[in-house]
CSV table of all heavy atoms in Angstrom, one decimal:
chain,number,residue,atom,x,y,z
P,1613,ALA,N,145.7,133.4,139.7
P,1613,ALA,CA,144.9,134.6,139.6
P,1613,ALA,C,145.6,135.7,138.8
P,1613,ALA,O,145.0,136.3,137.9
P,1613,ALA,CB,144.5,135.0,141.0
P,1614,ARG,N,146.8,135.9,139.1
P,1614,ARG,CA,147.6,136.9,138.4
P,1614,ARG,C,147.8,136.6,136.9
P,1614,ARG,O,147.6,137.5,136.1
P,1614,ARG,CB,149.0,137.1,139.1
P,1614,ARG,CG,148.9,137.7,140.5
P,1614,ARG,CD,150.3,137.8,141.1
P,1614,ARG,NE,151.2,138.6,140.4
P,1614,ARG,CZ,152.5,138.8,140.8
P,1614,ARG,NH1,153.0,138.0,141.7
P,1614,ARG,NH2,153.2,139.6,140.1
P,1615,GLY,N,148.1,135.4,136.7
P,1615,GLY,CA,148.3,135.0,135.2
P,1615,GLY,C,147.0,135.1,134.4
P,1615,GLY,O,147.0,135.6,133.3
P,1616,ARG,N,145.9,134.7,135.0
P,1616,ARG,CA,144.6,134.8,134.3
P,1616,ARG,C,144.2,136.3,134.0
P,1616,ARG,O,143.8,136.6,132.9
P,1616,ARG,CB,143.4,134.1,135.2
P,1616,ARG,CG,142.1,134.2,134.5
P,1616,ARG,CD,141.1,133.4,135.4
P,1616,ARG,NE,139.7,133.7,135.0
P,1616,ARG,CZ,139.0,133.2,133.9
P,1616,ARG,NH1,139.7,132.4,133.1
P,1616,ARG,NH2,137.8,133.6,133.6
P,1617,GLU,N,144.4,137.1,135.0
P,1617,GLU,CA,144.1,138.5,134.8
P,1617,GLU,C,145.0,139.1,133.7
P,1617,GLU,O,144.5,139.9,132.8
P,1617,GLU,CB,144.3,139.3,136.1
P,1617,GLU,CG,143.8,140.7,136.1
P,1617,GLU,CD,144.8,141.7,135.5
P,1617,GLU,OE1,146.1,141.4,135.6
P,1617,GLU,OE2,144.4,142.7,134.9
P,1618,TRP,N,146.2,138.7,133.7
P,1618,TRP,CA,147.2,139.2,132.7
P,1618,TRP,C,146.8,138.8,131.3
P,1618,TRP,O,146.9,139.6,130.3
P,1618,TRP,CB,148.6,138.7,133.1
P,1618,TRP,CG,149.6,139.1,132.1
P,1618,TRP,CD1,150.4,140.2,132.0
P,1618,TRP,CD2,150.1,138.3,131.0
P,1618,TRP,NE1,151.2,140.2,130.9
P,1618,TRP,CE2,151.1,138.9,130.2
P,1618,TRP,CE3,149.9,137.0,130.6
P,1618,TRP,CZ2,151.8,138.4,129.2
P,1618,TRP,CZ3,150.5,136.4,129.5
P,1618,TRP,CH2,151.5,137.2,128.8
P,1619,VAL,N,146.4,137.6,131.1
P,1619,VAL,CA,146.1,137.1,129.8
P,1619,VAL,C,144.9,137.9,129.2
P,1619,VAL,O,144.9,138.3,128.0
P,1619,VAL,CB,145.7,135.6,129.8
P,1619,VAL,CG1,145.0,135.1,128.5
P,1619,VAL,CG2,146.9,134.8,130.0
P,1620,PHE,N,143.9,138.1,130.0
P,1620,PHE,CA,142.8,138.8,129.4
P,1620,PHE,C,143.0,140.3,129.2
P,1620,PHE,O,142.3,140.9,128.3
P,1620,PHE,CB,141.5,138.6,130.3
P,1620,PHE,CG,140.8,137.3,130.3
P,1620,PHE,CD1,141.2,136.3,131.1
P,1620,PHE,CD2,139.9,137.1,129.3
P,1620,PHE,CE1,140.6,135.0,131.0
P,1620,PHE,CE2,139.3,135.8,129.1
P,1620,PHE,CZ,139.7,134.8,130.0
P,1621,ARG,N,144.0,140.8,129.8
P,1621,ARG,CA,144.5,142.1,129.5
P,1621,ARG,C,145.4,142.2,128.3
P,1621,ARG,O,145.2,143.0,127.4
P,1621,ARG,CB,145.1,142.8,130.7
P,1621,ARG,CG,145.5,144.2,130.5
P,1621,ARG,CD,146.2,144.8,131.8
P,1621,ARG,NE,147.5,144.2,132.0
P,1621,ARG,CZ,147.9,143.4,133.0
P,1621,ARG,NH1,146.9,143.0,133.8
P,1621,ARG,NH2,149.0,142.9,133.1
P,1622,GLN,N,146.4,141.3,128.3
P,1622,GLN,CA,147.4,141.3,127.3
P,1622,GLN,C,146.9,140.9,126.0
P,1622,GLN,O,147.4,141.4,124.9
P,1622,GLN,CB,148.6,140.4,127.8
P,1622,GLN,CG,149.8,140.4,126.8
P,1622,GLN,CD,150.7,141.6,127.0
P,1622,GLN,OE1,150.4,142.4,127.9
P,1622,GLN,NE2,151.7,141.7,126.3
P,1623,PHE,N,145.9,139.9,125.9
P,1623,PHE,CA,145.5,139.4,124.7
P,1623,PHE,C,144.0,139.7,124.3
P,1623,PHE,O,143.3,139.0,123.7
P,1623,PHE,CB,145.6,137.9,124.7
P,1623,PHE,CG,147.1,137.4,124.7
P,1623,PHE,CD1,147.6,137.1,126.0
P,1623,PHE,CD2,147.8,137.3,123.6
P,1623,PHE,CE1,149.0,136.7,126.1
P,1623,PHE,CE2,149.2,137.0,123.7
P,1623,PHE,CZ,149.8,136.7,124.9
P,1624,ASP,N,143.6,141.0,124.7
P,1624,ASP,CA,142.3,141.5,124.4
P,1624,ASP,C,142.1,141.4,122.9
P,1624,ASP,O,142.9,142.0,122.1
P,1624,ASP,CB,142.1,142.9,124.9
P,1624,ASP,CG,140.8,143.5,124.5
P,1624,ASP,OD1,139.8,143.1,125.1
P,1624,ASP,OD2,140.8,144.2,123.5
P,1625,GLU,N,141.1,140.7,122.4
P,1625,GLU,CA,141.0,140.4,121.0
P,1625,GLU,C,140.7,141.7,120.2
P,1625,GLU,O,141.3,141.9,119.1
P,1625,GLU,CB,139.8,139.4,120.7
P,1625,GLU,CG,140.0,138.0,121.2
P,1625,GLU,CD,139.3,137.8,122.6
P,1625,GLU,OE1,139.3,138.7,123.4
P,1625,GLU,OE2,138.9,136.7,122.8
P,1626,GLY,N,139.9,142.5,120.7
P,1626,GLY,CA,139.6,143.8,120.0
P,1626,GLY,C,140.8,144.7,119.8
P,1626,GLY,O,141.1,145.2,118.7
P,1627,ALA,N,141.6,144.8,120.8
P,1627,ALA,CA,142.8,145.6,120.7
P,1627,ALA,C,143.9,145.0,119.7
P,1627,ALA,O,144.5,145.7,119.0
P,1627,ALA,CB,143.5,145.7,122.1
P,1628,LEU,N,144.0,143.7,119.8
P,1628,LEU,CA,145.0,143.1,118.8
P,1628,LEU,C,144.5,143.2,117.4
P,1628,LEU,O,145.3,143.4,116.5
P,1628,LEU,CB,145.2,141.6,119.3
P,1628,LEU,CG,146.1,141.3,120.5
P,1628,LEU,CD1,146.1,139.8,120.8
P,1628,LEU,CD2,147.5,141.9,120.2
P,1629,LEU,N,143.2,143.0,117.2
P,1629,LEU,CA,142.7,143.1,115.8
P,1629,LEU,C,142.9,144.5,115.3
P,1629,LEU,O,143.2,144.7,114.1
P,1629,LEU,CB,141.2,142.7,115.8
P,1629,LEU,CG,140.9,141.2,115.8
P,1629,LEU,CD1,139.5,141.0,116.1
P,1629,LEU,CD2,141.4,140.5,114.6
P,1630,GLU,N,142.8,145.5,116.1
P,1630,GLU,CA,143.0,146.9,115.7
P,1630,GLU,C,144.5,147.0,115.3
P,1630,GLU,O,144.8,147.8,114.3
P,1630,GLU,CB,142.7,147.9,116.8
P,1630,GLU,CG,141.2,148.1,117.1
P,1630,GLU,CD,140.9,149.0,118.2
P,1630,GLU,OE1,141.9,149.5,118.7
P,1630,GLU,OE2,139.7,149.2,118.5
P,1631,ARG,N,145.4,146.4,116.0
P,1631,ARG,CA,146.8,146.5,115.6
P,1631,ARG,C,147.1,145.8,114.3
P,1631,ARG,O,147.9,146.3,113.5
P,1631,ARG,CB,147.6,145.9,116.8
P,1631,ARG,CG,147.6,146.8,118.0
P,1631,ARG,CD,148.3,146.1,119.2
P,1631,ARG,NE,149.8,146.0,119.0
P,1631,ARG,CZ,150.6,145.3,119.7
P,1631,ARG,NH1,150.1,144.7,120.8
P,1631,ARG,NH2,151.9,145.3,119.4
P,1632,TYR,N,146.5,144.7,114.1
P,1632,TYR,CA,146.6,144.0,112.8
P,1632,TYR,C,146.1,144.8,111.7
P,1632,TYR,O,146.7,145.0,110.6
P,1632,TYR,CB,146.0,142.6,112.8
P,1632,TYR,CG,146.9,141.5,113.4
P,1632,TYR,CD1,146.7,141.1,114.7
P,1632,TYR,CD2,147.9,140.9,112.6
P,1632,TYR,CE1,147.5,140.1,115.2
P,1632,TYR,CE2,148.7,140.0,113.1
P,1632,TYR,CZ,148.6,139.6,114.4
P,1632,TYR,OH,149.4,138.6,115.0
P,1633,GLU,N,144.9,145.5,111.9
P,1633,GLU,CA,144.3,146.3,110.8
P,1633,GLU,C,145.3,147.5,110.5
P,1633,GLU,O,145.5,147.8,109.4
P,1633,GLU,CB,143.0,146.9,111.3
P,1633,GLU,CG,141.9,145.8,111.3
P,1633,GLU,CD,140.6,146.3,111.9
P,1633,GLU,OE1,140.6,147.1,112.9
P,1633,GLU,OE2,139.5,146.0,111.3
P,1634,ALA,N,145.9,148.1,111.6
P,1634,ALA,CA,146.7,149.2,111.4
P,1634,ALA,C,148.0,148.7,110.5
P,1634,ALA,O,148.5,149.5,109.7
P,1634,ALA,CB,147.2,149.8,112.7
P,1635,LEU,N,148.5,147.5,110.8
P,1635,LEU,CA,149.6,147.0,110.1
P,1635,LEU,C,149.3,146.8,108.6
P,1635,LEU,O,150.0,147.3,107.7
P,1635,LEU,CB,150.0,145.6,110.7
P,1635,LEU,CG,151.2,144.9,109.9
P,1635,LEU,CD1,152.5,145.6,110.1
P,1635,LEU,CD2,151.3,143.5,110.4
P,1636,TYR,N,148.1,146.3,108.3
P,1636,TYR,CA,147.7,146.1,106.9
P,1636,TYR,C,147.4,147.5,106.2
P,1636,TYR,O,147.8,147.7,105.1
P,1636,TYR,CB,146.5,145.3,106.8
P,1636,TYR,CG,146.7,143.8,107.2
P,1636,TYR,CD1,145.8,143.2,108.0
P,1636,TYR,CD2,147.8,143.1,106.8
P,1636,TYR,CE1,145.9,141.8,108.4
P,1636,TYR,CE2,147.9,141.8,107.1
P,1636,TYR,CZ,147.0,141.1,107.9
P,1636,TYR,OH,147.1,139.8,108.3
P,1637,GLU,N,146.7,148.3,107.0
P,1637,GLU,CA,146.4,149.6,106.4
P,1637,GLU,C,147.6,150.5,106.1
P,1637,GLU,O,147.7,151.2,105.1
P,1637,GLU,CB,145.4,150.4,107.3
P,1637,GLU,CG,144.0,149.7,107.3
P,1637,GLU,CD,143.1,150.2,108.4
P,1637,GLU,OE1,143.6,151.0,109.2
P,1637,GLU,OE2,141.9,149.9,108.5
P,1638,GLY,N,148.6,150.4,107.0
P,1638,GLY,CA,149.8,151.1,106.8
P,1638,GLY,C,150.6,150.7,105.6
P,1638,GLY,O,151.1,151.5,104.8
P,1639,ALA,N,150.6,149.4,105.3
P,1639,ALA,CA,151.2,148.8,104.1
P,1639,ALA,C,150.5,149.3,102.9
P,1639,ALA,O,151.1,149.6,101.9
P,1639,ALA,CB,151.3,147.3,104.2
P,1640,ALA,N,149.2,149.3,103.0
P,1640,ALA,CA,148.4,149.7,101.8
P,1640,ALA,C,148.7,151.1,101.4
P,1640,ALA,O,148.8,151.5,100.2
P,1640,ALA,CB,146.9,149.5,102.1
P,1641,ARG,N,148.9,152.0,102.4
P,1641,ARG,CA,149.2,153.4,102.2
P,1641,ARG,C,150.6,153.6,101.6
P,1641,ARG,O,150.8,154.4,100.7
P,1641,ARG,CB,149.1,154.2,103.5
P,1641,ARG,CG,147.6,154.4,103.9
P,1641,ARG,CD,147.6,155.5,105.0
P,1641,ARG,NE,148.4,155.2,106.1
P,1641,ARG,CZ,148.0,154.5,107.2
P,1641,ARG,NH1,146.7,154.1,107.3
P,1641,ARG,NH2,148.8,154.3,108.2
P,1642,ARG,N,151.5,152.8,102.2
P,1642,ARG,CA,152.9,153.0,101.7
P,1642,ARG,C,153.2,152.3,100.3
P,1642,ARG,O,154.1,152.7,99.6
P,1642,ARG,CB,153.9,152.4,102.7
P,1642,ARG,CG,154.0,153.1,104.1
P,1642,ARG,CD,155.1,152.6,104.9
P,1642,ARG,NE,155.0,151.2,105.1
P,1642,ARG,CZ,154.4,150.7,106.2
P,1642,ARG,NH1,153.8,151.4,107.1
P,1642,ARG,NH2,154.4,149.4,106.4
P,1643,GLY,N,152.4,151.3,100.1
P,1643,GLY,CA,152.6,150.6,98.9
P,1643,GLY,C,153.8,149.6,99.0
P,1643,GLY,O,154.3,149.3,100.2
P,1644,THR,N,154.2,149.0,98.0
P,1644,THR,CA,155.3,148.0,98.1
P,1644,THR,C,156.6,148.5,98.4
P,1644,THR,O,157.6,147.8,98.7
P,1644,THR,CB,155.4,147.2,96.7
P,1644,THR,OG1,155.6,148.1,95.7
P,1644,THR,CG2,154.1,146.5,96.4
P,1645,GLU,N,156.8,149.8,98.4
P,1645,GLU,CA,158.1,150.4,98.7
P,1645,GLU,C,158.2,150.8,100.2
P,1645,GLU,O,159.1,151.7,100.5
P,1645,GLU,CB,158.3,151.7,97.8
P,1645,GLU,CG,158.4,151.4,96.3
P,1645,GLU,CD,159.4,150.4,96.0
P,1645,GLU,OE1,160.5,150.5,96.6
P,1645,GLU,OE2,159.1,149.5,95.2
P,1646,GLY,N,157.3,150.3,101.0
P,1646,GLY,CA,157.3,150.7,102.4
P,1646,GLY,C,158.7,150.8,103.1
P,1646,GLY,O,159.6,150.2,102.7
P,1647,GLN,N,158.7,151.5,104.2
P,1647,GLN,CA,160.0,151.7,104.9
P,1647,GLN,C,160.6,150.4,105.3
P,1647,GLN,O,159.9,149.4,105.5
P,1647,GLN,CB,159.7,152.6,106.1
P,1647,GLN,CG,158.8,152.0,107.1
P,1647,GLN,CD,158.5,152.9,108.2
P,1647,GLN,OE1,158.5,154.1,108.1
P,1647,GLN,NE2,158.2,152.4,109.4
P,1648,ARG,N,161.9,150.4,105.4
P,1648,ARG,CA,162.7,149.1,105.7
P,1648,ARG,C,163.3,149.1,107.1
P,1648,ARG,O,164.1,148.3,107.4
P,1648,ARG,CB,163.8,149.0,104.7
P,1648,ARG,CG,163.3,148.9,103.2
P,1648,ARG,CD,162.3,147.7,103.0
P,1648,ARG,NE,161.8,147.7,101.6
P,1648,ARG,CZ,160.7,147.0,101.3
P,1648,ARG,NH1,160.0,146.4,102.3
P,1648,ARG,NH2,160.4,147.0,100.1
P,1649,ASP,N,162.9,150.1,107.9
P,1649,ASP,CA,163.6,150.1,109.3
P,1649,ASP,C,162.9,149.0,110.1
P,1649,ASP,O,161.7,148.7,109.9
P,1649,ASP,CB,163.4,151.4,109.9
P,1649,ASP,CG,161.9,151.8,110.1
P,1649,ASP,OD1,161.2,151.9,109.0
P,1649,ASP,OD2,161.4,152.0,111.2
P,1650,ARG,N,163.7,148.4,111.0
P,1650,ARG,CA,163.2,147.4,111.8
P,1650,ARG,C,162.6,148.1,113.1
P,1650,ARG,O,163.1,149.1,113.5
P,1650,ARG,CB,164.3,146.5,112.3
P,1650,ARG,CG,164.8,145.5,111.3
P,1650,ARG,CD,165.9,144.7,111.8
P,1650,ARG,NE,165.4,143.9,112.9
P,1650,ARG,CZ,166.3,143.4,113.8
P,1650,ARG,NH1,167.5,143.5,113.7
P,1650,ARG,NH2,165.8,142.7,114.8
Side-chain angles (χ1 to χ4, degrees):
R1614 291 174 65 187
R1616 179 173 165 82
E1617 188 277 333
W1618 175 83
V1619 165
F1620 282 93
R1621 183 181 70 252
Q1622 184 79 3
F1623 295 97
D1624 176 77
E1625 294 100 322
L1628 283 176
L1629 284 169
E1630 287 179 2
R1631 293 173 66 188
Y1632 276 99
E1633 286 175 322
L1635 178 67
Y1636 292 137
E1637 289 168 356
R1641 287 194 302 269
R1642 291 190 304 269
T1644 56
E1645 298 301 320
Q1647 61 186 28
R1648 300 302 181 197
D1649 59 301
R1650 289 178 58 198

